[in-house]
Amino acid sequence: MTADKRRYVVTAIRGVLVLTGAVVTVAVLYSFSTMPTASASDDGFVRGLSYLFGSVFFILALGGAGLGLALPSLLGADDALAFDRWQRRCLQASGGLFVGGFVAGLVAGLLTALQYGLLLWLVAIVLAVLVVSCVLVWRLFEVFVTALVRLIAAETGE
């Protein structure tokens, strides 16, 4: 596969993961916000179950979006966001949390109970999303500081 085709495939997969993750996240948040309140005669079982499954979908959607953002770093491809070496390492570590959390969750689920493995995997996804979010804030701060330095240099004539 040529470099252009590989870049196109990685970008397409990345776009699908990020877009799908964002759409599902917004849909879950919208369904949570429009969910009717429980009546006084209801014990809240259905509402609690919908919150449980909605939360799982929310975490998986955020994980998919995070994995989409970390994908070029995991595959060693060029990134349009121009992450530096340490940011790429952090994104690779978050990819390790995605994959390693799945494997550890699968093993824990098979050895103990499936729900414990699922919980372990969801915790790993949340940690990975936190790492990806921190890297994005880090990169955004770098871009802001660089733009600010250029603006100050242009105004002072340096």
Side-chain angles (χ1 to χ4, degrees):
M1 183 180 292
T2 64
D4 288 336
K5 286 183 181 179
R6 181 177 182 204
R7 188 176 323 138
Y8 176 74
V9 169
V10 169
T11 303
I13 293 171
R14 181 183 203 182
V16 166
L17 284 172
V18 171
L19 186 64
T20 303
V23 167
V24 171
T25 299
V26 169
V28 168
L29 289 177
Y30 178 75
S31 70
F32 280 169
S33 68
T34 59
M35 190 180 301
T37 59
S39 64
S41 64
D42 189 16
D43 64 353
F45 176 75
V46 174
R47 185 174 176 84
L49 204 60
S50 63
Y51 276 126
L52 176 71
F53 283 108
S55 298
V56 169
F57 284 134
F58 180 77
I59 291 171
L60 290 175
L62 281 179
L67 185 62
L69 290 170
L71 190 63
S73 296
L74 292 172
L75 299 176
D78 291 334
D79 195 357
L81 299 176
F83 292 117
D84 67 9
R85 189 182 90 187
W86 290 106
Q87 291 166 343
R88 290 175 70 87
R89 293 276 186 209
C90 290
L91 290 173
Q92 290 168 350
S94 72
L97 280 170
F98 284 119
V99 176
F102 176 75
V103 171
L106 187 63
V107 169
L110 292 175
L111 293 178
T112 59
L114 187 59
Q115 63 268 25
Y116 298 134
L118 180 63
L119 181 65
L120 179 65
W121 184 41
L122 292 176
V123 168
I125 288 175
V126 169
L127 289 174
V129 167
L130 286 174
V131 170
V132 169
S133 299
C134 288
V135 168
L136 287 176
V137 168
W138 179 5
R139 180 66 186 131
L140 186 64
F141 185 72
E142 282 181 345
V143 168
F144 174 73
V145 168
T146 303
L148 189 63
V149 167
R150 286 183 185 165
L151 179 68
I152 291 172
E155 285 185 5
T156 59
E158 293 181 14

